[in-house]
């Protein structure tokens, strides 16, 4: 048999709905709060123009609070381009969570592998 035992050193009752006490830690709390808000702001859509005449639109979406999805769409391929694909890479290199064994078959990686060498 298990006996319920509650131990605490609180001098008064507390609840998760109690206001957050900021006395003595106001600056640190404001700094952490500002950093958290800034870290969760998605970038706006961006148009990238390449010298070969290709225009690519990047759009962003959040999967979770710490996973950013980036989509690349060719908007204009230019008059001299016959075949155009979008490959995404990042500097510094970020983990690609959608490729590799056991990963989702619905989402395909657009990150460049080290052997890829795009024209433009």
């Amino acid at each position: 048999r298990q006996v319920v035992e509650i131990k605490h050193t609180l001098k008064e009752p507390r609840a998760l709905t109690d206001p957050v006490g900021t006395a003595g830690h106001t600056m640190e709390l404001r700094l952490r709060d500002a950093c958290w808000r800034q870290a969760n702001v998605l970038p706006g859509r961006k148009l990238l123009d390449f010298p070969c005449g290709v225009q690519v639109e990047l759009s962003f979406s959040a999967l979770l609070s710490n996973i950013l999805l980036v989509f690349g769409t060719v908007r204009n391929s230019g008059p001299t381009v016959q075949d155009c694909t979008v490959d995404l890479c990042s500097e510094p290199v970020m983990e690609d969570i959608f490729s590799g064994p056991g990963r989702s078959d619905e989402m395909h990686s657009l990150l460049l592998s080290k052997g890829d060498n795009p024209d433009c």
Side-chain angles (χ1 to χ4, degrees):
R1 290 186 170 225
Q2 187 175 11
V3 178
V4 176
E5 184 177 355
I6 299 174
K7 291 184 177 183
H8 61 80
T9 58
L10 297 175
K11 296 180 181 174
E12 55 192 63
R14 293 285 180 207
L16 292 175
T17 56
D18 290 348
V20 175
T22 60
H25 301 285
T26 306
M27 292 302 292
E28 183 179 346
L29 179 66
R30 286 184 185 154
L31 178 62
R32 288 182 184 201
D33 189 45
C35 288
W36 179 253
R37 275 196 309 272
Q38 181 182 0
N40 287 285
V41 173
L42 290 176
R45 290 183 178 203
K46 297 183 182 197
L47 283 175
L48 303 175
D49 293 311
F50 292 91
C52 58
V54 172
Q55 186 179 57
V56 174
E57 179 183 30
L58 297 179
S59 56
F60 306 89
S61 178
L63 182 60
L64 298 170
S65 65
N66 63 343
I67 298 176
L68 177 68
L69 298 178
V70 181
F71 300 94
T73 306
V74 176
R75 291 292 176 212
N76 183 6
S77 61
T80 60
V81 177
Q82 293 179 5
D83 183 30
C84 189
T85 59
V86 176
D87 292 312
L88 301 176
C89 60
S90 65
E91 191 63 42
V93 176
M94 295 181 178
E95 181 182 0
D96 178 9
I97 65 167
F98 293 114
S99 64
R103 303 297 182 172
S104 173
D105 292 332
E106 297 172 10
M107 299 286 289
H108 297 289
S109 171
L110 293 176
L111 291 177
L112 288 171
S113 67
K114 293 181 181 181
D116 292 334
N117 188 15
D119 295 333
C120 171

